[in-house]
Each structure stands twice: as C-alpha cells, then as structure tokens.
C-alpha cells in the first residue's frame, strides 16, 4: 500500500541542482558477521536491505535523486524491522534523550511501553500508508525517563495518543519554519527598539495572521516571555505530535524509530553523543543511518497535501458550502484556519530549528534540499496574490487550552509533556479529517459531531455556538468537514476497491 | 622562554598542526589522545594580539607564582571583561567588545583606576558592598586591596569602606563566602612565604588573613579587624566549599610543599560566629603533601558532594569523598581517582620530554557542550626548574561517558610552549562555546577562541547549552554559595557559585551548563540560605536570568543574536 509523490521529472531544471550520486546513494546491507560483505540472501529476515548513505548526497537534489531517495524512504517507512536490523532496545529506553535502562525490559514488545509496532506503516495506514491510525494502534507516550516499563494503560504512566496522518507534513514544517523565523525576528526587532530607546518595547507576536501573545523587551537585552501564548518561550513553532512539541519531521522520525521500534539513529544515539556505537546493547551498530532518516523525512515531507474534495452529490455540495460559512461564523476558523500562506516550497533537510541530537544546518557537508514544487500535487495548491501558496491545513500551528471545568473530555491526560500542560494541545489540522477517523488526541471519539462537542477551554465558545445551531446547520458543518478528505488518494483508494493504492508512474512535465 | 604566538594563523593551518601534533603523542601518556574518542573536540585559535590584548605577567621570584585573571562584567553589557594581574608591572583591564559569535575584540582601559595597580598576583571579582557593581579583590605582594566598582569599568581603591587592615604580605590565594547573618562577605587572603622570617623561604610560610565583616551598618568600614588563620602552609589556592552538603562552607586550602615544612593540605571549619579551626586527624583528615597550585571543584556526579581537582607538580589529584567512611563518621576523607580516570596529567602529552608537568589553574566546565564536565589545567614550568618539563602544554581533559577523561589539548590547539599560571574558562563572545584565557609568565596572555567542534577541515556547532545568571536583592546579590540544578531527562547537572580556587583567578557572570542533546531542562536553584526555588523551564541555547522569588525567569539576548 504505497503512494508515489508523482514527481515531475524534468531535465531542464537549473544546472545548479547538483545532487549526490544516484547510483551510490544506497549501500546494501550485508549478512551479519560476514567479513566478505556478502549480500543478504533473498530470504534473509532483514527489513532493511539497503541503507541510504548521506555522504553521497548534498545540495539541491535533482528529480532523479529525489525519486531515488523517496523510493528508499517509502521502503523504510513500510519496512517491518526485525532483530536482524537491530529492532529492540534491551538496555535503553524510549526517551528522546539517550537514556539507559537499569535492567533489560521484561518484554521486547509491549503495546504499552513499546516496542509497539513493526513498521511505521503499522500505525500510519488509514486510509493509506502515511495516513492516520485506528484506536487499536494508539500509542502510549511516556517521556521514558521514569516508569519506562509501565504495563498498563493507566494515565498516570503515559498519555494515550491516536496516530496522526502525515499528508502535507512537509508543508506544515515549512510553515512552522517561516513562522519561527518571523517571531524570532520580531523579538530581535523589539530588542533593537528597546536598546535604542532605552525603554521597554512590548509587541504582539504575530505570524501569518496568527497571534502568539505579547513579549516585553527591555533595554538591557532581557526579554519577558510571560505573556506569550501558545508557543514555547524560545519562539520556536513545534508543529508535530498531538501536543505540538516536536520541531521537525527529522526530530520526530528519530524519536519514533527509537520509541516504537528500538531502531536507533546514529545521529543521536551514536558515538558522538553517547560514546557508544551500540547504545541499546542489542548487538547492532548503526541501525539507522543519517541517510535513512533523510529518506524517511523526504518521503513524509513530500506526501501530498490534502485538498477539500468536491462531492458529486449536489445536496452535499450545497450543505458543505453553507457549512463552510457556518464553520467560519461560529468561530471554528479562528483556530482551524482554512489556510496559511507559505512563501517557499523549498524543503531543506536538516532544517533551521533543530538542536543537537538531530542533524543541524551546517553540521556536515551533506545537507540537502528539494523543491516541493517539483511534485505534481503542488500544482493544485491555491496561491494568493503574492504568489504564496495557501496551505489548506485548517489549523494555526498554535497550542490552546482545550478543556475546562465542564467540558473536560479532551483534558483527559495526567502527564504534561515537554513543558506543555496536560490540557493544552496544538490545533489539530483538519485537512484529511474525513478520511482519518477516529478523533480526539486519544482517538476515542468516533464521529465529527462528538469531537466538536468535546471542545472546551479556548474552543468553548465555538463549541457552544455549534451546539446552539439548529440541527440542519450542524449537519451543514458536518457536511463541510466531510469534504476534508485525503482527496485523490481517497479516490484512488476507492478505485482500488478496498485497501490498495496503485502506484502511478512518474510523469514528466 | 616562549615566544608570542600570532593570532592570525588560519584554521586550516591549526588543524594541520593538530594532526601533526597528534602524531607526536608519546607512549605511556595517560589519557592519550591516540585513544578512540568519538565526541566533539573543540578547535581553539589563539588570538590574544588579534583581539587587542597585549599583557604579560612578569617579575622576580615573588611573581614566579600568581598570574591571575578576573573575569567579570564591569560596564553592564554582560560581556565578560578581563582584569589581568601584572606582577611587578602594571595590571590591566580590558573591556570586551567582541561581537556575538564573532572574533574576540578587547580594548585596553587604563582608566579603570586612578593609580596604576602594581605588584598584583591575582584578582577575584565579587560584589562586596552589595551595590550591584562588581568589586575586585586584588592579591598583592604587599598590602592587598579591594577595588570598589563604580560602574563604567572604573574603580576606587581609596574608599574607607573597603579598606583592609593588613600588613605587607605575599598573597597568592583568595576566597570569599557570605556567612549567615552577616551583611557582607567574609574574605580570606591566603599568603605564601614570609620573606622576612629567618631562614626564608624554607619553612617560613605566612599566616593567612581572615576578614569577617562588621554587622554594624553604621560602621565606616566593612572590615574593621583582621584575624590570622594559622598555621599557613604556603598556599597557592583556597576555596570556601560545602564539601559535606551541610549548607555551610568550609575552607579548603592547597599548599606548596616546596616551602612548607611539616605542612599539609588543609580544611578549616567555619562555623557561624566561631573561631575557624582546622579539621584534625581525630576528625579523619588525612595528611596529604603536594605542590598544591590550584583547586577546581565540581560535583561530577551531582550527588551533592563535590569532587576536587588539585594541581601540583607531577600528578594532578582528583579527590572523591570516601563514602563508606563519610557515611559512618562524617569524616572528610578523600580518595584520589585521578589515575583510574585518566586525569593525572602528570607529564606533557606531546613531545619527547618525559619530565613531570607543573600544573597551576584548574577549572571544570563543559567545554565541548556534550553534557559532561571537562577539566582544563594551565601548565608551565615555575621558571627554570630542571627536574620539570620546560615545554608543558595546557591540558584539555574531555569528560567521557564512562567517567574517564580524554586528553585533547594537542588536537584542540591549546598546546603552546608557554608557562601558564592563572586562567579562566568562559564564553567571551556569547556563542555558547567556552573560550579559554591563560595568563602566561613572561609571555603574552593566551586567548583561545573556541570555534566549535573539529569537523574535517572546518568546525561545526557542538552540543546544546544553557547559561544562567542568578540575582538576589539586598545582600549577596550574585548568590554566592547558591547551587543551580539543571535536569534533563534523568541527568542532573549542578553548578555552585563560588569565589575562590583556581590559581589566583576568579570569574563572575553567567554560569554555563552543557546539555548535550537535551533541548530543554528544568532548572532549580538552592539559594545560599538553603531555600529551594520553584522549577524554571529552560530551552537550550539561551541565556537565562533567574531572580529570587520571581516566578518566571527572563531570557537575555546578546545584541546580534536576539
């Protein structure tokens, strides 16, 4: 079950797009312990048969090189990792900071503390690979420092989370980068003004129409962040995870490989930062190369952006049109913003906002970039008068309090995560929502109506307004939301009569 | 005699030299550079002259020791400025104009004092009179001085308030602490040889001067009386330290066996209001006799009980509390773990001279931001002691994940044939990477700019970091004696704000914590009176200011990195 990103292969692209060596990007995995580097036998149990060599990549990728990288990423995303690859982390935990266990885990696999999946696609598969997950593949998020081996789902040990879909993830990250850039520039400007004037400069942080509270800059270079809203005090938008606490696809990918599979990425768990080449002590070194992570990132970043579908049914069309208006008028769109403008579609990997432990800009000579405009689906994205892509995410990349005293359904976690309070979550992007039930960060709400009614906290006025609508208007809102599918991918799924998406050949512009 | 080293050497040349130097490692070197080390090795470029610093510590025999540097912000821009002891020459103040993340730049500022400050062996910054401005304790051959900070890098040493009642002595060590209920710090000036005693210098060590402040706020002087701490054993470094997690400071002193007779290392009780007294054999204090030159203190495993590095001629000691004994008796007995951890640094790590080293300033900090504490040691022959190596490069002992140390001085570019004395490890250009200043006897100071981790023929950014400044109102504004606890995951890193130790050198300002791959941390402060703060949430790669009783910390941004 795969999706090709439909690259336009054009040989007329600028010659500056010097990419790495296509043929040497992939390095075959050899049989374990074989000094002669014998290739794997066809029946070998390895899930990874080729690693991606980052050292053979650099600069702006040509379409051909990107295609190869995407193929590798797609393969890795669906690979069922095995002990021959290094699955398992008998002596390290799921924590994103390399953390040793005091004693080996009793069970290698456990649906609670992990390992909890064989492949990325084990959970990201609804309705297609890269999609969301059913309640049955919820994950139990523990920071992995204490109580790492919890064996029940009691929320005192972990936060239970449903699996998000990844479509449009590259655009999400690009939006976050631009917003981070804007907000940090506003802080710089405020400090410059404060230093120049000798008095405090208070500004409203704002990017792409989304406000993030106030910041107070003092003449001596200090900044008071106590009035910021919905963002961390380093003014970095972290768009990933239900909570909105992960900066990049790259960071999240490394986290997930460790958490769910015990596949440790060298760039964080390798000798540079741990002093060990086999940090989890499972007998495997270099389980995930930097190139492997790059391939996984590329594949996720290039997944098509979901676009609203146009129903064939005229009644549905009409209801959805009205519903869209109601959605705006009752306040849903104040957080679930229909679109945010994006200036550039060039995705650099690594990105600008990661910190040590995730590859950073300039950290080596093998940073890459690729233009998402090369992808066929990018042509479908609307643009504004400035030529900026209007990313139809139905979100604001901001965190909000989503529960209150009376409406506490979405405040069902007991553990805060990475400094974010238990009842605060990033606005869920609604694109693709009609294809990715169930709903809520725990995935325990089966219909759109239920999840709307579960909104409390900052979303309470909009939720109350929805409840106060007449039944027909409520149905119009639902009708509108039901158009937010994975678009063509859903069609393809339907065409394939069940659960398979047929690969489409690459096309040439 | 070493020559000056130009700062204009390109990085590629430095790196080439590093490769060359690493080929010269001799067999048998402890913590050899040839061992496998996969962590980041910082690349240092010496650029004192390029940065505008030309200062030599020199003078006759009395200045074979000393040679300190005080690092502090004297003009309120939070850039670390530098005060250098000058020996029998003038001391010098250099104002830091380094751009954030850029090349180091300093301006000589002779107007800091109305009179030249000569005969200075060392200097420590602290705010003695609680006015929010850094003062300077000057260690001298002769009468010691307290320079009162006036702001804008100007100082007044004629104020009655900070006058010291001392006889002429040869002072080579200093430490300060705020004792409970006293409004100003208690100061100890540690003296070396009593040159006028019969038979000097052998066995004629001078007593130390202890100054406890008056609690009479109407008194025209803060220090109305001096008390002798006797016996002195020719100290070269002293440090108020809470060695037993009691909440009270004791005074640790390292002494030079070259001149004392029957002396030893010392630890003094400092109980509130009571006469200080030495820990005795009955209290478990073991006799240790070394050429004690410098003290570095750090809580390497964050258990609340600090470890101590003691520099000497030959082996450096790395002392760890003997917990079996301590748990039973509370005794201050220590075990030397330097050998097992590869931290003896007892002879040069490069070249073919196998004579013992001479260690001076020592300082723990996370110089490569991997989350592990490293140990820097300034080295150099006393003058022309033939039994000790004459080419004695400074050490950069990088902490490893096994608790051992890896010598990276040669690879990192700090291996110069100078005679180091005092030093400081501090981020001079606010790029999060620690630079190193070394005062050299008879040679220009070394100013090593940290350009990041060596990567191929260039450098790259290293691990995450955090820098924290503490503030209190009223007395002890800089929270001397406070401990900062920084927790990321299961790892806790602690730093204690102290005045003293090293070799004649002290620092004030941001404390630096390397975080490795942690991108955030929970910070708590144990204030000097033992009160714990609430938890502050910190994001990596930022400067934080924590003010007591304020629920939120503020961030601070240097000018071009906001």
């Amino acid at each position: 079950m795969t999706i090709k990103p439909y690259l336009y292969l054009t040989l007329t692209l600028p010659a500056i797009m010097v990419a790495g060596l296509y043929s040497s990007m992939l390095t075959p995995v050899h049989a374990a312990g074989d000094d002669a580097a014998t290739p794997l036998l066809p029946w070998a149990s390895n899930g990874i048969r080729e690693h991606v060599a980052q050292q053979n990549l650099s600069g702006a990728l040509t379409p051909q090189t990107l295609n190869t990288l995407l193929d590798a990423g797609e393969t890795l995303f669906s690979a069922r990792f095995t002990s021959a690859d290094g699955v398992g982390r008998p002596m390290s935990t799921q924590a994103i900071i390399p953390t040793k266990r005091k004693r080996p885990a009793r069970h290698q696999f456990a649906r609670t503390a992990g390992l909890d999946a064989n492949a990325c696609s084990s959970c990201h598969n609804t309705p297609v690979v890269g999609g969301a997950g059913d309640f049955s593949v919820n994950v139990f998020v523990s920071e992995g420092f204490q109580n790492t081996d919890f064996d029940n789902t009691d929320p005192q040990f972990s936060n239970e989370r449903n699996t998000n879909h990844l479509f449009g993830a590259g655009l999400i990250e690009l939006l976050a980068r631009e917003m981070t850039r804007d907000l940090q520039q506003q802080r710089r400007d405020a400090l410059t003004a404060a230093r120049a004037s000798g008095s405090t400069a208070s500004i409203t942080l704002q990017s792409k129409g989304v406000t993030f509270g106030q910041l107070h800059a003092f003449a001596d270079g200090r900044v008071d962040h106590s009035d910021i809203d919905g963002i961390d005090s380093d003014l970095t938008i972290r768009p990933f995870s239900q909570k909105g606490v992960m900066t990049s696809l790259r960071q999240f990918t490394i986290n997930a490989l460790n958490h769910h599979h015990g596949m440790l990425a060298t760039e964080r768990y390798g000798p540079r930062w741990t002093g060990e080449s086999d940090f989890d002590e499972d007998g495997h070194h270099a389980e995930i190369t930097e190139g492997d992570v790059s391939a996984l990132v590329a594949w996720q970043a290039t997944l098509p952006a979901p676009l609203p579908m146009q129903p064939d049914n005229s009644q549905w069309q009409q209801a959805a049109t009205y519903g869209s208006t109601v959605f705006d008028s009752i306040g849903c769109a104040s957080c679930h913003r229909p679109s945010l403008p994006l200036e550039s579609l060039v995705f650099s990997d690594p990105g600008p906002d990661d910190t040590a432990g995730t590859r950073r800009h300039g950290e080596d000579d093998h940073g890459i970039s690729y233009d998402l405009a090369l992808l066929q689906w990018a042509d479908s994205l609307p643009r504004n008068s400035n030529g900026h892509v209007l990313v139809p995410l139905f979100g604001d990349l901001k965190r909000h309090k989503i529960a209150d005293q009376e409406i506490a359904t979405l405040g069902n976690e007991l553990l805060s995560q990475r400094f974010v309070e238990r009842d605060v979550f990033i606005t869920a992007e609604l694109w693709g929502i009609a294809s990715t039930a169930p709903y809520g960060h725990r995935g325990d709400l089966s219909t759109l109506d239920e999840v709307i009614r579960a909104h409390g906290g900052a979303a309470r006025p909009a939720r109350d307004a929805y409840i106060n609508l007449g039944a027909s208007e409520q149905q119009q809102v639902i009708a509108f939301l039901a158009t937010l599918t994975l678009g063509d991918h859903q069609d393809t799924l339907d065409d394939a009569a069940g659960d398979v998406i047929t690969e489409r050949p690459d096309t040439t512009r | 005699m070493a020559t000056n080293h130009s700062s204009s050497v390109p990085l590629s040349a430095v790196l080439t030299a590093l490769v060359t130097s690493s080929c010269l490692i001799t067999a048998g070197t402890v913590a050899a550079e040839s061992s496998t080390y996969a962590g980041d090795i910082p690349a240092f470029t010496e650029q004192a002259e390029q940065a505008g610093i030309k200062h030599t510590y020199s003078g006759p025999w009395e200045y074979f020791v000393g040679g300190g540097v005080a690092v502090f912000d004297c003009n309120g821009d939070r850039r670390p400025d530098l005060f250098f002891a000058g020996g029998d020459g003038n001391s010098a103040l250099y104002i830091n104009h380094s751009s954030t993340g850029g090349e180091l730049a300093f301006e000589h500022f002779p107007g800091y004092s109305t009179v030249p400050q000569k005969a200075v062996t060392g200097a420590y910054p602290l705010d003695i009179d609680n006015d929010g401005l850094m003062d300077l304790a000057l260690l001298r051959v002769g009468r010691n001085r307290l320079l009162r900070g006036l702001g804008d890098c100007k100082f007044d040493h004629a104020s009655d308030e900070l006058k010291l009642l001392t006889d002429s002595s040869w002072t080579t060590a200093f430490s300060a602490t705020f004792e409970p209920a006293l409004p100003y710090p208690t100061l100890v000036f540690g003296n070396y040889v009593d040159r006028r005693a019969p038979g000097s210098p052998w066995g004629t060590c001078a007593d130390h001067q202890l100054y406890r402040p008056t609690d009479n706020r109407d008194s025209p002087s803060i220090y109305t009386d001096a008390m002798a701490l006797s016996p002195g054993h020719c100290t070269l470094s002293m440090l108020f330290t809470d060695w037993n997690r009691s909440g009270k400071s004791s005074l640790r002193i390292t002494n030079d066996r070259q001149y004392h007779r029957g002396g030893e290392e010392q630890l003094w009780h400092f109980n509130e209001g009571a006469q200080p007294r030495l820990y005795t054999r009955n209290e478990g204090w073991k006799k240790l006799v070394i050429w004690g030159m410098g003290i570095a203190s750090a809580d390497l495993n964050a258990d609340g009980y600090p470890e101590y590095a003691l520099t000497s001629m030959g082996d450096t000691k790395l002392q760890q509390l003997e917990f079996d004994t301590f748990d039973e008796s509370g005794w201050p007995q220590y075990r030397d773990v330097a050998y097992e951890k590869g931290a003896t640094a007892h002879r040069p790590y490069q070249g073919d001279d196998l004579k013992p080293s001479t260690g001076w300033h020592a300082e723990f900090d996370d110089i490569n931001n991997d989350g592990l504490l490293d140990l820097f040691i300034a080295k150099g022959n006393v003058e022309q002691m033939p039994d000790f190596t004459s080419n004695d490069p400074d050490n950069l002992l990088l902490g490893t994940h096994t608790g051992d140390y890896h010598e990276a001085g040669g690879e990192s570019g700090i291996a110069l044939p100078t005679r180091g004395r005092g030093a400081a490890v501090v981020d001079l250009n606010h790029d999060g990477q620690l630079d190193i200043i070394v005062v050299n006897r008879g040679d220009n100071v070394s100013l090593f700019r940290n350009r990041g981790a060596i990567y191929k023929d260039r450098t790259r950014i290293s691990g995450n970091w955090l820098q924290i400044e503490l503030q209190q109102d009223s007395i002890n504004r800089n929270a001397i004696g406070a401990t900062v606890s920084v927790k990321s995951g299961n790892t806790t890193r602690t730093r204690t704000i102290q005045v003293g130790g090293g070799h004649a050198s002290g620092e004030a300002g941001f404390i630096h914590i390397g975080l490795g791959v942690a991108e955030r941390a929970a910070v708590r402060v144990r204030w000097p009176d033992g009160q714990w703060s609430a938890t502050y949430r910190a994001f990596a790669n930022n400067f934080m200011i924590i003010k007591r009783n304020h629920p939120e910390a503020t961030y601070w941004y240097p000018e071009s990195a906001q």
Side-chain angles (χ1 to χ4, degrees):
Chain A
M1 187 156 44
T2 55
I3 290 178
K4 293 291 286 185
Y6 315 130
L7 270 180
Y8 287 137
L9 296 181
T10 173
L11 301 179
T12 61
L13 289 167
I16 58 169
M17 299 175 71
V18 179
L21 302 174
Y22 169 85
S23 59
S24 59
M25 182 196 303
L26 303 176
T27 57
V29 173
H30 302 301
D34 191 333
D35 293 337
T38 306
L40 290 180
L41 296 168
W43 55 87
S45 57
N46 299 60
I48 302 176
R49 305 191 75 88
E50 291 175 315
H51 283 295
V52 179
Q54 188 73 41
Q55 62 268 30
N56 293 330
L57 293 168
S58 66
L61 300 189
T62 63
Q64 295 92 330
T65 307
L66 180 55
N67 250 337
T68 305
L69 190 64
L70 296 179
D71 283 342
E74 184 177 12
T75 301
L76 284 165
F77 196 86
S78 295
R80 302 178 76 78
F81 302 119
T82 72
S83 56
D85 303 307
V87 143
R89 39 178 167 77
M91 287 306 296
S92 65
T93 78
Q94 62 268 51
I96 66 174
I97 299 172
T99 302
K100 287 281 191 183
R101 288 179 184 277
K102 291 180 178 170
R103 59 193 69 84
R106 181 179 297 178
H107 302 293
Q108 176 91 315
F109 281 84
R111 282 295 299 127
T112 49
L115 317 176
D116 56 1
N118 301 104
C120 307
S121 58
S122 298
C123 300
H124 290 283
N125 58 24
T126 301
V128 292
V129 170
D134 193 77
F135 184 83
S136 63
V137 292
N138 277 2
V139 300
F140 297 87
V141 179
S142 152
E143 292 209 319
F145 301 119
Q146 297 171 343
N147 301 317
T148 55
D149 291 330
F150 58 93
D151 57 4
N152 67 64
T153 61
D154 189 308
Q156 68 175 306
F157 299 116
S158 68
N159 294 323
E160 183 176 0
R161 301 270 175 79
N162 194 226
T163 304
N164 282 333
H165 78 75
L166 298 166
F167 287 87
L171 297 176
I172 295 285
E173 181 163 342
L174 289 175
L175 282 169
R177 292 178 187 180
E178 290 185 359
M179 293 170 81
T180 297
R181 177 204 63 194
D182 291 349
L183 298 172
Q184 294 185 354
Q185 183 60 47
Q186 288 163 27
R187 181 175 58 201
R188 278 191 287 275
D189 292 344
L191 277 164
T192 299
R195 281 178 158 128
S197 67
S199 57
T200 302
S202 293
I203 60 165
T204 297
L205 294 164
Q206 179 172 324
S207 177
K208 301 186 186 298
V210 181
T211 58
F212 292 90
Q214 279 214 316
L215 172 149
H216 313 288
F218 303 109
D220 65 355
R222 287 178 300 121
V223 169
D224 179 356
H225 293 98
S226 56
D227 291 331
I228 62 172
D229 181 29
I231 187 174
D232 292 321
S233 57
D234 62 353
L235 303 187
T236 299
I237 299 279
R238 295 184 164 86
F240 296 117
S241 81
Q242 302 264 14
K243 200 77 168 172
V245 289
M246 298 303 166
T247 306
S248 66
L249 287 169
R250 191 165 193 101
Q251 182 192 30
F252 198 100
T253 297
I254 294 168
N255 299 348
L257 284 165
N258 176 56
H259 181 171
H260 303 304
H261 314 298
M263 294 292 290
L264 274 59
T266 301
E267 70 189 76
R268 186 181 304 158
Y269 298 90
R272 183 182 180 197
W273 299 117
T274 67
E276 298 179 45
S277 58
D278 179 20
F279 184 74
D280 57 7
E281 301 181 35
D282 64 356
H284 288 268
H285 305 247
E287 294 167 359
I288 295 289
T289 67
E290 294 176 350
D292 292 340
V293 179
S294 298
L296 282 162
V297 168
W299 187 77
Q300 294 170 86
T302 56
L303 284 174
L307 294 172
M309 64 99 159
Q310 290 296 319
D312 294 334
N313 180 304
S314 60
Q315 182 189 5
W316 186 357
Q317 274 184 27
Q318 188 176 28
T321 301
Y322 286 129
S324 172
T325 304
V326 177
F327 182 83
D328 290 351
S329 67
I330 63 175
C332 302
S334 62
C335 297
H336 294 288
R337 290 173 181 255
S339 67
L340 294 177
L342 178 65
E343 296 168 24
S344 171
L345 288 173
V346 176
F347 190 96
S348 61
D349 179 32
D353 301 317
D354 278 310
T355 62
T358 303
R359 281 178 71 233
R360 294 164 289 178
H361 259 318
E363 189 150 358
D364 56 41
D365 298 332
H366 306 289
I368 57 176
S369 66
Y370 31 92
D371 191 344
L372 301 186
L374 290 170
L375 302 156
Q376 195 172 41
W377 56 259
D379 282 351
S380 306
L381 295 171
R383 290 180 180 262
N384 64 15
S385 57
N386 296 322
H388 298 164
V389 167
L390 294 173
V391 179
L393 75 167
F394 290 92
D396 59 0
L397 303 186
K398 179 180 175 181
R399 293 193 294 248
H400 303 272
K401 190 172 187 290
I402 196 65
D404 57 42
Q405 194 75 5
E406 295 162 329
I407 307 298
T409 303
L410 294 177
N412 55 0
E413 296 188 347
L414 292 185
L415 304 174
S416 62
Q417 184 185 8
R418 296 171 74 72
F419 297 169
V420 181
E421 304 302 330
R422 48 198 262 193
D423 51 3
V424 174
F425 293 84
I426 196 168
T427 303
E429 293 94 33
L430 299 185
W431 57 359
I433 192 171
S435 306
T436 56
Y439 307 115
H441 49 257
R442 189 169 173 264
D444 53 1
L445 300 165
S446 59
T447 68
L448 291 166
D449 178 74
E450 284 176 62
V451 73
I452 294 170
R453 291 173 185 272
H455 282 57
R460 181 70 182 275
R463 172 261 189 198
D464 289 347
Y466 170 81
I467 288 175
N468 290 332
L469 295 173
S472 64
E473 286 179 303
Q474 289 178 352
Q475 280 303 309
Q476 287 165 357
V477 172
I478 302 298
F480 162 64
L481 294 174
T483 66
L484 303 182
T485 68
L486 290 180
D488 290 344
H489 324 303
Q490 181 69 53
D491 295 343
T492 307
L493 177 67
D494 293 342
D495 292 342
D499 59 357
V500 175
I501 280 199
T502 308
E503 281 197 22
R504 293 178 180 175
D506 295 334
T507 56
T508 304
R509 180 182 286 178
Chain B
M1 186 68 69
T3 57
N4 284 340
H5 291 268
S6 167
S7 57
S8 60
V9 180
L11 181 61
S12 58
V14 173
L15 294 168
T16 304
L18 303 184
V19 172
T20 305
S21 67
S22 66
C23 296
L24 299 175
I25 299 162
T26 57
T29 301
V30 175
E33 292 181 271
S34 55
S35 61
T36 302
Y37 178 75
D40 283 355
I41 294 178
F44 287 101
T45 306
E46 201 291 309
Q47 54 178 222
E49 285 196 22
Q50 180 184 329
I53 297 179
K54 199 159 188 179
H55 180 83
T56 299
Y57 179 76
S58 60
W61 177 60
E62 289 91 339
Y63 305 101
F64 286 6
V65 296
V69 56
V71 181
F72 64 108
D73 172 27
C74 64
N75 56 3
D77 64 1
R78 287 197 164 82
R79 292 190 185 100
D81 306 303
L82 305 176
F83 177 90
F84 292 109
D88 70 349
N90 285 339
S91 300
L93 180 71
Y94 283 84
I95 297 177
N96 189 344
H97 295 298
S98 307
S99 60
T100 304
E103 300 297 331
L104 304 181
F106 287 85
E107 174 194 3
H108 184 217
F109 183 60
Y112 74 94
S113 174
T114 53
V115 296
Q117 300 294 341
K118 289 178 176 287
V120 176
T121 61
Y124 289 81
L126 75 164
D127 179 7
I128 296 171
D129 53 359
N130 301 315
D131 64 353
L133 299 170
M134 278 291 161
D135 310 305
L136 272 178
L138 297 190
L139 287 52
R140 299 181 69 243
V141 179
R143 188 169 178 160
N144 294 316
R145 287 177 183 157
L146 299 179
L147 298 190
R148 185 177 62 175
L150 304 174
D152 292 330
C153 297
K154 293 187 175 173
F155 296 85
D156 171 8
H157 75 86
S159 73
D160 288 336
E161 193 173 76
L162 293 182
K163 268 191 176 160
L164 293 174
L165 305 169
T166 57
D167 296 326
S168 180
S169 55
W170 178 4
T171 302
T172 46
F174 176 81
S175 192
T177 187
F178 278 81
E179 294 188 84
L182 292 179
Y184 302 102
T186 293
L187 316 178
V188 181
F189 288 85
N191 295 324
Y192 200 49
V193 172
D194 181 352
R195 294 162 296 161
R196 296 186 181 85
S200 176
W202 317 106
T204 60
C205 297
D207 291 343
H208 311 309
Q209 268 89 43
L210 166 67
Y211 294 89
R212 276 184 157 142
T214 177
D215 55 4
N216 177 5
R217 290 175 181 266
D218 297 326
S219 170
S221 295
I222 291 176
Y223 302 104
T224 57
D225 198 6
M227 178 190 303
L229 278 188
S230 183
H233 292 316
C234 296
T235 181
L236 288 174
S237 185
M238 52 179 33
L239 178 67
F240 278 109
T241 175
D242 182 6
W243 67 272
N244 58 356
R245 212 164 67 173
S246 63
K248 293 184 295 189
S249 287
S250 302
L251 183 65
R252 183 78 167 84
I253 301 181
T254 191
N255 296 312
D256 184 2
R257 67 180 292 178
Q258 184 75 12
Y259 294 120
H260 70 63
R261 295 293 177 266
E264 59 179 309
E265 299 293 284
Q266 293 171 304
L267 183 66
W268 291 81
H269 289 277
F270 260 76
N271 292 322
E272 190 175 340
Q275 179 85 3
R277 64 177 180 83
L278 281 168
Y279 275 86
T280 65
R281 297 283 180 275
N282 289 338
E283 293 171 297
W285 184 250
K286 284 182 176 177
K287 184 166 185 172
L288 177 65
V289 179
I290 60 174
W291 289 274
M293 307 288 205
I295 303 175
S297 168
D299 187 359
L300 297 177
N301 52 3
D303 62 358
Y305 299 95
E307 281 72 34
Y308 302 96
L310 306 174
T311 56
S312 181
M313 302 174 84
D315 287 20
T316 298
K317 307 292 183 190
L318 183 54
Q319 294 195 321
Q320 192 173 62
L321 192 61
E322 286 272 19
F323 282 102
D324 288 346
T325 305
F326 179 76
D327 289 342
E328 280 189 17
S329 61
W331 286 358
Q333 290 192 353
Y334 286 85
R335 189 166 70 90
D336 182 10
V337 298
Y339 181 77
E340 65 193 67
K341 292 186 176 298
T344 53
H346 57 281
R347 65 184 183 216
Y349 48 81
Q350 63 183 37
D352 55 5
D353 185 348
L354 300 184
K355 292 176 186 172
S357 278
T358 307
W360 299 87
H361 184 89
E363 188 166 343
F364 287 103
D365 212 322
D366 185 356
I367 297 171
N368 58 358
N369 285 333
D370 63 355
L372 305 168
L373 279 169
D374 311 310
L375 177 60
F376 170 80
I377 304 173
K379 290 279 189 69
N381 195 290
V382 173
E383 184 67 3
Q384 292 178 335
M385 294 187 77
D387 291 337
F388 293 85
T389 185
S390 59
N391 190 342
D392 205 357
D394 303 333
N395 295 92
L396 180 59
L397 291 161
L398 298 178
T400 71
H401 292 273
T402 60
D404 297 337
Y405 291 89
H406 171 83
E407 176 61 64
E411 289 172 90
S412 70
I414 64 167
L416 302 183
T418 45
R419 285 177 296 183
R421 291 294 189 270
V425 179
V426 64
D427 178 6
L428 291 171
N429 58 353
H430 288 148
D431 62 357
Q433 302 177 131
L434 291 168
D435 310 293
I436 299 174
I437 309 132
V438 184
V439 180
N440 298 310
R441 174 168 167 77
D443 208 340
N444 196 23
V445 301
S446 300
L447 190 64
F448 295 108
R449 181 186 164 198
N450 185 342
R451 294 184 175 278
I454 295 171
Y455 173 71
K456 295 184 178 177
D457 61 349
R458 62 177 178 90
T459 60
R460 63 178 176 182
I461 191 170
S462 195
N464 297 326
W465 52 270
L466 190 62
Q467 298 195 49
I468 299 173
E469 177 184 306
L470 300 184
Q471 295 181 354
Q472 296 190 122
D473 289 330
S474 189
I475 68 167
N476 192 7
R477 288 174 177 240
N478 303 111
I480 294 165
T483 296
V484 179
S485 170
V486 178
K487 188 170 187 293
S488 298
N490 287 346
T491 301
T492 299
R493 302 174 177 93
T494 66
R495 302 286 188 274
T496 298
I497 298 181
Q498 294 168 304
V499 178
H503 183 76
S505 303
E507 298 155 33
F510 283 109
I511 53 174
H512 167 274
I513 302 103
L515 294 178
V517 300
E519 66 170 350
R520 64 193 73 203
V523 179
R524 291 188 75 197
V525 179
R526 184 178 186 272
W527 295 99
D529 62 3
Q531 293 285 317
W532 279 95
S533 75
T535 299
Y536 297 94
R537 295 167 167 179
F539 285 88
N541 308 324
N542 279 295
F543 297 84
M544 274 181 89
I545 298 173
I546 296 176
K547 190 161 188 176
R548 186 165 185 170
N549 296 327
H550 282 223
E552 300 273 351
T554 55
Y555 283 57
W556 176 82
Y557 296 87
E559 282 196 34
S560 58
Q562 299 160 358

